[in-house]
Structures are given as C-alpha cells and as structure tokens.
Amino acid sequence: MRAVFSQHRELPNGGSENQAIPTVPGALPLVGHSLALLRDPLAFISALPAYGDVTTIRIGTLPMVMVCDPLLTRQVLLEDSTYDKGGPVMDKAAEVIGDGLITCPHSKHRRQRRLCQAAFHPDRLPEFGAVFERAAKEIASSWHDDQVVDVDRELMAMTAGTAVLTMFANTLPETSEQIIADLVTVVEGAFWRMITPPFLNRFALLGNRRFDQANKRLRSAVADAVGRRRADDAAHSDLLAFLQEAVDSTEHSDSTDRLTDIELVDQITTFFGAGTETTASTVAWALHLLARHPEIQDRLHQEIHDVLAGEPMTFERLPDMEMASHVINETLRLYPPAWLLTRTATKDTSLGGFRLPAGTTLAYSPYIIHRRPDLYDHPDRFDPQRWRNTKPDRTAFIPFSAGARKCIGDRVAITQATMALIAIVGQWRLTPLPNQSLKPAVKATLTPRHLRLRVTAR
C-alpha cells in the first residue's frame, strides 16, 4: 500500500472559497443522476474523482456534494458535529430503522453510544464466535458435492439467523422464522426507498406493499419481544439483555438513564439491518474473489489445514489465521459494504477550499477511496498479500467509517465473516460458473447480484 497524502497540502485550484463546486454532467430533469446511479452505481461513482476532490451530483432535484478525497473525507467523518448524519440516504434509512445509533443526530449519538457499548465489548467476542462457528458449520454442511449454490441468498439467511439468535438467544422460537424472512425483505428493499424519489414510494406497487408489510411486522415483533423481556425475571446474556440493563453513568447524565422501549426497538432494528447484509455481502464477495483466484483459495485452504489440523474452528484460533484475515481485509477494500453514505452540514463551513452553507448534503464513498491508485498499487487487483506486515491505514481504509460514528459492531462483523470463510473454504473448493457475468445489486450494501458458485468437496 502506498503512503497516504501528507496532512498539509494545497487546496484545489488555489483554495478560493468563492469558486463554484463543479457539477457532474448528465443530470436529467426531476431524477438528476439517479438513473445513472441505479443503472451502474460503481461505474458512476468511480468516474466522479475526475471532476475534482469535491464535486456535485443530483439525486432527484436535490444537489449533493460528493467528497472524493481521502483527507477531506476523514475531515467530514471526524467533525461529526459539523457534518452530522443526514441527507437522502440517512433520512430515508431513519424512516425504515428508526432513530437508532446509525441514523440518530449528533445531539443523541454520544448517549446512545455509551448505552450500547457494553453489548459489543471485546470480552463478548468469544460468545459471539461460538454462535458464528455453529452457523457457519451448519451452512457449509448443508451443501453437497458438485452443487451450484445461490451464495448471496444462503449467506443472507445465515447472517439473519445469527442476528436474531445473538439478539434474542432462544426466546423467540415461534416467531424467529418470520422475523428472519421480514428482516431479509426489509434489508434488501431499503436502498430503493433511500434513493427513489419520494413521490414514487407513495404508489401502491407490489414491492412497496411487501416492504411496508414486512417492516411493520418486523418492528411489531421486536416491540413484542422487548415487552415480554421486561416482564421476564430470568437471567439472559443476549444483546437485548445488555441493552435493557445498560445505564448511562456519566457525570452529566441521570444515574437511572436507560434506553426506553421505543429506543430499544430502534436500536435492535438498526443492529439487524447493519449486521446482516453487510456481513453476508463481505463473505459472498470473498468467495467470489477466491473462486476467480484458485491459487489464493488453495493457499487459504492450506492455512486452514495446517492451523486446525482437523480440529473444529474456534474464536481462539482466529489470530493464527493470517491468510483468512488478509482475504477479509482485501475483500473489504475492494467491496466495502457501506459504499455510499451521506452527511449534512449543520452550519456554514468550508471544505477543500469550497464554501458549504448550512444544510448542504454531502456524500462520501469508501469504494472510491479504496481504489485510488495514489493510495494502493494496482488498486483493482485482488491481492490479500498486500496486507502482510501492513496495518490498514485509517485514512485510506474506511469500510466501517471512522471517528465517533465508526461502526460499533466492526469487530463482531469481521469475526463472523472470517469464521464463515474458514468453515466454507475448509470444506469446499469453489469454482465460478462459465459465462457468469456478475454485477453488484443496487442496495444500501454493496452486494453481488445472484452470485452462484459450484462447490466440490475437498
């Protein structure tokens, strides 16, 4: 990986704040650049740096400032009171998952973060790892020799199942299947809601009705679970128990400050949305890349064979799986799950030499940053070995964002992705189907569309 830019550099075009931010050509009336973004999202955003470190696109009729430079992106992420959560993607996400940790404004975030932190403490990773190991082993063992596997669907079902299990343990056996089904429907349809002009979402289309019904059932089921747990005197150690028992004990807070039931529903729905498709897509992309690079796949399998020596995979063995860790890092670099995110300027400010009035919507893309040739040698090449003896740079590698709003469950997600990868590659050789052209699905998460791979027993 190349050295990151110096922290001190000239502002673009001499740094005059009176200059206009360049606008990307090709915007259409009413829809702006939305059609181009929906048609081929990666091609569209990959072309944006050519128009400058800071440029403007339009989502519908809304202008959105696109930040393409790594240092300016980090400035936006670190100054979270100036660049608050907001914009069309986040505002519509809040309509779906509520006012949880991902979507809440800066004014609520610090308190919510403190109350949720204990549920994701590193000491809990072995407990999570045991759940992930069982789920990964179950999915890998369910396939048969020479089967063509619908990879993204299988992995989505796996991560949705583990999300429900880690949140509620075994207290919802009668509703867990419906919750998982509704969770998949909501997560897969959320991005269309976020990027589609509002007037289209009001039409009673089949997809809209299915989405609305699933979202209503999901939130209702979560609310019922929260209410039942309140009345349950038994001890529990799942995520819901930690969230219910958390108390904000800082000097500026009430010693009895806890999450309300409404806040619990929002947090749980948030964690469901954030912890399912993101992890599933990471594993799916990793399997796709390994299938296309059999020599790397063989090296990973050899590591699994040498380290485990036939013993079951456990959380404690993860530090010995260097190759598996490198594969996950490289996959997150090439295909960061949260590929396009938005913020809103809360006050008049400037960025990269341009003046930004309060209320300006900004967007940034880890996909753009991760594929810059000035940061990475051969940035489009799948090369897990680039991570040997190299720690991911916090400016050039942002799959989980950065600053105070960095993903609270990043280590949990990496743990599950790595354990699933090891379970699958340890048992199966993956090969691509001939003439399969793979494109990303247009979702909030960068997911391979209809990824199908052939599995052959090792």
mmCIF file of all heavy atoms in Angstrom, residues 52-87:
data_model
loop_
_atom_site.group_PDB
_atom_site.id
_atom_site.type_symbol
_atom_site.label_atom_id
_atom_site.label_comp_id
_atom_site.label_asym_id
_atom_site.label_seq_id
_atom_site.Cartn_x
_atom_site.Cartn_y
_atom_site.Cartn_z
ATOM 1 N N GLY A 52 -13.054 16.296 -9.739
ATOM 2 C CA GLY A 52 -12.465 17.056 -8.643
ATOM 3 C C GLY A 52 -12.572 16.339 -7.310
ATOM 4 O O GLY A 52 -13.320 15.374 -7.161
ATOM 5 N N ASP A 53 -11.816 16.824 -6.331
ATOM 6 C CA ASP A 53 -11.875 16.265 -4.983
ATOM 7 C C ASP A 53 -13.235 16.489 -4.343
ATOM 8 O O ASP A 53 -13.672 15.719 -3.493
ATOM 9 C CB ASP A 53 -10.800 16.896 -4.091
ATOM 10 C CG ASP A 53 -9.395 16.476 -4.491
ATOM 11 O OD1 ASP A 53 -9.259 15.452 -5.184
ATOM 12 O OD2 ASP A 53 -8.435 17.179 -4.110
ATOM 13 N N VAL A 54 -13.880 17.583 -4.750
ATOM 14 C CA VAL A 54 -15.222 17.909 -4.279
ATOM 15 C C VAL A 54 -16.052 18.255 -5.506
ATOM 16 O O VAL A 54 -15.660 19.125 -6.296
ATOM 17 C CB VAL A 54 -15.204 19.095 -3.291
ATOM 18 C CG1 VAL A 54 -16.614 19.405 -2.803
ATOM 19 C CG2 VAL A 54 -14.293 18.808 -2.101
ATOM 20 N N THR A 55 -17.167 17.582 -5.675
ATOM 21 C CA THR A 55 -17.993 17.805 -6.867
ATOM 22 C C THR A 55 -19.459 17.673 -6.478
ATOM 23 O O THR A 55 -19.783 17.275 -5.351
ATOM 24 C CB THR A 55 -17.617 16.816 -7.987
ATOM 25 O OG1 THR A 55 -18.321 17.139 -9.174
ATOM 26 C CG2 THR A 55 -17.928 15.390 -7.580
ATOM 27 N N THR A 56 -20.354 18.001 -7.387
ATOM 28 C CA THR A 56 -21.787 17.977 -7.081
ATOM 29 C C THR A 56 -22.530 17.032 -8.011
ATOM 30 O O THR A 56 -22.314 17.047 -9.229
ATOM 31 C CB THR A 56 -22.404 19.389 -7.219
ATOM 32 O OG1 THR A 56 -21.746 20.280 -6.312
ATOM 33 C CG2 THR A 56 -23.889 19.372 -6.888
ATOM 34 N N ILE A 57 -23.390 16.182 -7.422
ATOM 35 C CA ILE A 57 -24.313 15.361 -8.196
ATOM 36 C C ILE A 57 -25.725 15.687 -7.728
ATOM 37 O O ILE A 57 -25.912 16.407 -6.743
ATOM 38 C CB ILE A 57 -24.023 13.847 -8.034
ATOM 39 C CG1 ILE A 57 -24.223 13.409 -6.577
ATOM 40 C CG2 ILE A 57 -22.621 13.529 -8.508
ATOM 41 C CD1 ILE A 57 -24.083 11.894 -6.380
ATOM 42 N N ARG A 58 -26.714 15.160 -8.423
ATOM 43 C CA ARG A 58 -28.101 15.414 -8.038
ATOM 44 C C ARG A 58 -28.845 14.081 -7.880
ATOM 45 O O ARG A 58 -28.810 13.233 -8.761
ATOM 46 C CB ARG A 58 -28.811 16.288 -9.077
ATOM 47 C CG ARG A 58 -28.266 17.708 -9.126
ATOM 48 C CD ARG A 58 -29.048 18.606 -10.073
ATOM 49 N NE ARG A 58 -28.516 19.961 -10.058
ATOM 50 C CZ ARG A 58 -28.869 20.892 -9.176
ATOM 51 N NH1 ARG A 58 -29.790 20.602 -8.283
ATOM 52 N NH2 ARG A 58 -28.340 22.096 -9.209
ATOM 53 N N ILE A 59 -29.506 13.938 -6.741
ATOM 54 C CA ILE A 59 -30.397 12.803 -6.501
ATOM 55 C C ILE A 59 -31.814 13.350 -6.577
ATOM 56 O O ILE A 59 -32.261 14.068 -5.686
ATOM 57 C CB ILE A 59 -30.131 12.169 -5.122
ATOM 58 C CG1 ILE A 59 -28.686 11.711 -5.022
ATOM 59 C CG2 ILE A 59 -31.077 11.004 -4.885
ATOM 60 C CD1 ILE A 59 -28.277 10.668 -6.023
ATOM 61 N N GLY A 60 -32.501 13.036 -7.675
ATOM 62 C CA GLY A 60 -33.745 13.735 -7.955
ATOM 63 C C GLY A 60 -33.414 15.188 -8.229
ATOM 64 O O GLY A 60 -32.562 15.500 -9.057
ATOM 65 N N THR A 61 -34.054 16.078 -7.502
ATOM 66 C CA THR A 61 -33.760 17.504 -7.661
ATOM 67 C C THR A 61 -32.813 18.007 -6.572
ATOM 68 O O THR A 61 -32.479 19.191 -6.552
ATOM 69 C CB THR A 61 -35.057 18.319 -7.609
ATOM 70 O OG1 THR A 61 -35.720 18.079 -6.355
ATOM 71 C CG2 THR A 61 -35.994 17.926 -8.752
ATOM 72 N N LEU A 62 -32.396 17.122 -5.682
ATOM 73 C CA LEU A 62 -31.545 17.526 -4.564
ATOM 74 C C LEU A 62 -30.077 17.528 -4.951
ATOM 75 O O LEU A 62 -29.530 16.494 -5.331
ATOM 76 C CB LEU A 62 -31.749 16.573 -3.377
ATOM 77 C CG LEU A 62 -30.832 16.804 -2.172
ATOM 78 C CD1 LEU A 62 -31.223 18.086 -1.451
ATOM 79 C CD2 LEU A 62 -30.873 15.622 -1.224
ATOM 80 N N PRO A 63 -29.396 18.676 -4.835
ATOM 81 C CA PRO A 63 -27.942 18.675 -5.074
ATOM 82 C C PRO A 63 -27.218 18.029 -3.894
ATOM 83 O O PRO A 63 -27.584 18.229 -2.735
ATOM 84 C CB PRO A 63 -27.604 20.163 -5.188
ATOM 85 C CG PRO A 63 -28.673 20.860 -4.416
ATOM 86 C CD PRO A 63 -29.917 20.021 -4.551
ATOM 87 N N MET A 64 -26.186 17.242 -4.195
ATOM 88 C CA MET A 64 -25.435 16.549 -3.164
ATOM 89 C C MET A 64 -23.952 16.703 -3.468
ATOM 90 O O MET A 64 -23.496 16.384 -4.571
ATOM 91 C CB MET A 64 -25.824 15.064 -3.121
ATOM 92 C CG MET A 64 -25.231 14.306 -1.952
ATOM 93 S SD MET A 64 -26.132 12.757 -1.608
ATOM 94 C CE MET A 64 -25.773 11.817 -3.096
ATOM 95 N N VAL A 65 -23.200 17.222 -2.510
ATOM 96 C CA VAL A 65 -21.767 17.423 -2.683
ATOM 97 C C VAL A 65 -21.050 16.111 -2.434
ATOM 98 O O VAL A 65 -21.143 15.533 -1.356
ATOM 99 C CB VAL A 65 -21.249 18.521 -1.725
ATOM 100 C CG1 VAL A 65 -19.732 18.626 -1.801
ATOM 101 C CG2 VAL A 65 -21.899 19.861 -2.060
ATOM 102 N N MET A 66 -20.322 15.639 -3.435
ATOM 103 C CA MET A 66 -19.608 14.378 -3.345
ATOM 104 C C MET A 66 -18.149 14.640 -2.983
ATOM 105 O O MET A 66 -17.452 15.376 -3.674
ATOM 106 C CB MET A 66 -19.687 13.638 -4.691
ATOM 107 C CG MET A 66 -19.235 12.205 -4.624
ATOM 108 S SD MET A 66 -20.442 11.146 -3.827
ATOM 109 C CE MET A 66 -19.375 9.766 -3.358
ATOM 110 N N VAL A 67 -17.681 14.052 -1.879
ATOM 111 C CA VAL A 67 -16.309 14.217 -1.406
ATOM 112 C C VAL A 67 -15.513 12.989 -1.838
ATOM 113 O O VAL A 67 -15.799 11.873 -1.410
ATOM 114 C CB VAL A 67 -16.261 14.383 0.122
ATOM 115 C CG1 VAL A 67 -14.834 14.663 0.579
ATOM 116 C CG2 VAL A 67 -17.205 15.497 0.573
ATOM 117 N N CYS A 68 -14.499 13.199 -2.676
ATOM 118 C CA CYS A 68 -13.751 12.080 -3.269
ATOM 119 C C CYS A 68 -12.331 11.954 -2.727
ATOM 120 O O CYS A 68 -11.648 10.968 -3.033
ATOM 121 C CB CYS A 68 -13.688 12.243 -4.792
ATOM 122 S SG CYS A 68 -15.297 12.355 -5.592
ATOM 123 N N ASP A 69 -11.878 12.901 -1.965
ATOM 124 C CA ASP A 69 -10.511 12.931 -1.471
ATOM 125 C C ASP A 69 -10.425 12.260 -0.102
ATOM 126 O O ASP A 69 -11.298 12.477 0.750
ATOM 127 C CB ASP A 69 -10.045 14.389 -1.369
ATOM 128 C CG ASP A 69 -8.672 14.507 -0.742
ATOM 129 O OD1 ASP A 69 -7.684 14.317 -1.466
ATOM 130 O OD2 ASP A 69 -8.598 14.787 0.468
ATOM 131 N N PRO A 70 -9.397 11.443 0.180
ATOM 132 C CA PRO A 70 -9.328 10.727 1.461
ATOM 133 C C PRO A 70 -9.189 11.621 2.677
ATOM 134 O O PRO A 70 -9.801 11.367 3.719
ATOM 135 C CB PRO A 70 -8.109 9.806 1.296
ATOM 136 C CG PRO A 70 -7.320 10.377 0.175
ATOM 137 C CD PRO A 70 -8.304 11.034 -0.730
ATOM 138 N N LEU A 71 -8.373 12.688 2.584
ATOM 139 C CA LEU A 71 -8.204 13.565 3.738
ATOM 140 C C LEU A 71 -9.447 14.405 3.991
ATOM 141 O O LEU A 71 -9.833 14.627 5.146
ATOM 142 C CB LEU A 71 -6.989 14.463 3.542
ATOM 143 C CG LEU A 71 -5.624 13.769 3.572
ATOM 144 C CD1 LEU A 71 -4.503 14.785 3.439
ATOM 145 C CD2 LEU A 71 -5.462 12.979 4.867
ATOM 146 N N LEU A 72 -10.088 14.858 2.935
ATOM 147 C CA LEU A 72 -11.327 15.612 3.116
ATOM 148 C C LEU A 72 -12.431 14.707 3.645
ATOM 149 O O LEU A 72 -13.252 15.123 4.472
ATOM 150 C CB LEU A 72 -11.748 16.263 1.803
ATOM 151 C CG LEU A 72 -10.794 17.314 1.230
ATOM 152 C CD1 LEU A 72 -11.343 17.877 -0.071
ATOM 153 C CD2 LEU A 72 -10.546 18.432 2.236
ATOM 154 N N THR A 73 -12.443 13.466 3.187
ATOM 155 C CA THR A 73 -13.414 12.508 3.709
ATOM 156 C C THR A 73 -13.198 12.292 5.200
ATOM 157 O O THR A 73 -14.151 12.268 5.990
ATOM 158 C CB THR A 73 -13.296 11.166 2.968
ATOM 159 O OG1 THR A 73 -13.611 11.360 1.580
ATOM 160 C CG2 THR A 73 -14.248 10.132 3.550
ATOM 161 N N ARG A 74 -11.940 12.144 5.605
ATOM 162 C CA ARG A 74 -11.657 11.957 7.029
ATOM 163 C C ARG A 74 -12.060 13.190 7.830
ATOM 164 O O ARG A 74 -12.557 13.074 8.953
ATOM 165 C CB ARG A 74 -10.178 11.641 7.248
ATOM 166 C CG ARG A 74 -9.862 11.354 8.712
ATOM 167 C CD ARG A 74 -8.524 10.684 8.888
ATOM 168 N NE ARG A 74 -8.229 10.452 10.296
ATOM 169 C CZ ARG A 74 -8.731 9.459 11.024
ATOM 170 N NH1 ARG A 74 -9.562 8.583 10.461
ATOM 171 N NH2 ARG A 74 -8.403 9.313 12.297
ATOM 172 N N GLN A 75 -11.868 14.363 7.274
ATOM 173 C CA GLN A 75 -12.301 15.580 7.962
ATOM 174 C C GLN A 75 -13.804 15.548 8.213
ATOM 175 O O GLN A 75 -14.270 15.884 9.314
ATOM 176 C CB GLN A 75 -11.928 16.812 7.129
ATOM 177 C CG GLN A 75 -12.348 18.136 7.767
ATOM 178 C CD GLN A 75 -11.965 19.335 6.918
ATOM 179 O OE1 GLN A 75 -11.103 19.264 6.049
ATOM 180 N NE2 GLN A 75 -12.626 20.454 7.153
ATOM 181 N N VAL A 76 -14.566 15.135 7.210
ATOM 182 C CA VAL A 76 -16.015 15.035 7.360
ATOM 183 C C VAL A 76 -16.372 14.032 8.455
ATOM 184 O O VAL A 76 -17.256 14.279 9.290
ATOM 185 C CB VAL A 76 -16.663 14.638 6.020
ATOM 186 C CG1 VAL A 76 -18.126 14.256 6.210
ATOM 187 C CG2 VAL A 76 -16.539 15.771 5.011
ATOM 188 N N LEU A 77 -15.681 12.908 8.486
ATOM 189 C CA LEU A 77 -16.009 11.859 9.452
ATOM 190 C C LEU A 77 -15.624 12.241 10.876
ATOM 191 O O LEU A 77 -16.331 11.883 11.834
ATOM 192 C CB LEU A 77 -15.310 10.556 9.058
ATOM 193 C CG LEU A 77 -15.740 9.951 7.721
ATOM 194 C CD1 LEU A 77 -14.978 8.671 7.443
ATOM 195 C CD2 LEU A 77 -17.232 9.684 7.704
ATOM 196 N N LEU A 78 -14.520 12.951 11.040
ATOM 197 C CA LEU A 78 -14.075 13.308 12.385
ATOM 198 C C LEU A 78 -14.854 14.491 12.959
ATOM 199 O O LEU A 78 -15.059 14.568 14.168
ATOM 200 C CB LEU A 78 -12.584 13.618 12.388
ATOM 201 C CG LEU A 78 -11.642 12.458 12.056
ATOM 202 C CD1 LEU A 78 -10.190 12.882 12.248
ATOM 203 C CD2 LEU A 78 -11.947 11.230 12.909
ATOM 204 N N GLU A 79 -15.271 15.403 12.106
ATOM 205 C CA GLU A 79 -16.007 16.584 12.576
ATOM 206 C C GLU A 79 -17.512 16.295 12.515
ATOM 207 O O GLU A 79 -18.260 16.908 11.764
ATOM 208 C CB GLU A 79 -15.634 17.803 11.740
ATOM 209 C CG GLU A 79 -14.161 18.177 11.850
ATOM 210 C CD GLU A 79 -13.771 19.358 10.966
ATOM 211 O OE1 GLU A 79 -14.688 20.029 10.423
ATOM 212 O OE2 GLU A 79 -12.569 19.607 10.800
ATOM 213 N N ASP A 80 -17.943 15.345 13.349
ATOM 214 C CA ASP A 80 -19.315 14.853 13.222
ATOM 215 C C ASP A 80 -20.359 15.811 13.769
ATOM 216 O O ASP A 80 -21.555 15.616 13.533
ATOM 217 C CB ASP A 80 -19.461 13.485 13.883
ATOM 218 C CG ASP A 80 -19.146 13.515 15.362
ATOM 219 O OD1 ASP A 80 -18.145 14.132 15.735
ATOM 220 O OD2 ASP A 80 -19.909 12.908 16.150
ATOM 221 N N SER A 81 -19.955 16.857 14.499
ATOM 222 C CA SER A 81 -20.940 17.862 14.900
ATOM 223 C C SER A 81 -21.210 18.842 13.765
ATOM 224 O O SER A 81 -22.319 19.360 13.633
ATOM 225 C CB SER A 81 -20.457 18.625 16.138
ATOM 226 O OG SER A 81 -19.251 19.323 15.872
ATOM 227 N N THR A 82 -20.201 19.078 12.927
ATOM 228 C CA THR A 82 -20.375 19.945 11.761
ATOM 229 C C THR A 82 -21.010 19.189 10.609
ATOM 230 O O THR A 82 -21.892 19.712 9.916
ATOM 231 C CB THR A 82 -19.017 20.517 11.315
ATOM 232 O OG1 THR A 82 -18.460 21.284 12.380
ATOM 233 C CG2 THR A 82 -19.171 21.396 10.082
ATOM 234 N N TYR A 83 -20.556 17.945 10.413
ATOM 235 C CA TYR A 83 -21.096 17.108 9.336
ATOM 236 C C TYR A 83 -21.896 15.980 9.992
ATOM 237 O O TYR A 83 -21.400 14.893 10.247
ATOM 238 C CB TYR A 83 -19.959 16.564 8.471
ATOM 239 C CG TYR A 83 -19.084 17.652 7.881
ATOM 240 C CD1 TYR A 83 -17.840 17.947 8.435
ATOM 241 C CD2 TYR A 83 -19.525 18.403 6.806
ATOM 242 C CE1 TYR A 83 -17.043 18.954 7.910
ATOM 243 C CE2 TYR A 83 -18.739 19.419 6.267
ATOM 244 C CZ TYR A 83 -17.493 19.687 6.825
ATOM 245 O OH TYR A 83 -16.712 20.691 6.299
ATOM 246 N N ASP A 84 -23.144 16.281 10.268
ATOM 247 C CA ASP A 84 -23.999 15.376 11.041
ATOM 248 C C ASP A 84 -24.643 14.339 10.129
ATOM 249 O O ASP A 84 -24.684 14.490 8.900
ATOM 250 C CB ASP A 84 -25.083 16.195 11.746
ATOM 251 C CG ASP A 84 -25.652 15.498 12.972
ATOM 252 O OD1 ASP A 84 -25.279 14.335 13.231
ATOM 253 O OD2 ASP A 84 -26.475 16.127 13.675
ATOM 254 N N LYS A 85 -25.130 13.273 10.742
ATOM 255 C CA LYS A 85 -25.864 12.288 9.960
ATOM 256 C C LYS A 85 -27.073 12.956 9.327
ATOM 257 O O LYS A 85 -27.780 13.742 9.963
ATOM 258 C CB LYS A 85 -26.315 11.121 10.846
ATOM 259 C CG LYS A 85 -25.209 10.159 11.215
ATOM 260 C CD LYS A 85 -24.683 9.419 9.991
ATOM 261 C CE LYS A 85 -23.598 8.425 10.346
ATOM 262 N NZ LYS A 85 -24.106 7.139 10.794
ATOM 263 N N GLY A 86 -27.315 12.657 8.086
ATOM 264 C CA GLY A 86 -28.419 13.266 7.361
ATOM 265 C C GLY A 86 -28.235 13.073 5.876
ATOM 266 O O GLY A 86 -27.352 12.338 5.432
ATOM 267 N N GLY A 87 -29.069 13.733 5.090
ATOM 268 C CA GLY A 87 -29.037 13.552 3.650
ATOM 269 C C GLY A 87 -30.066 12.518 3.239
ATOM 270 O O GLY A 87 -30.670 11.829 4.072
#
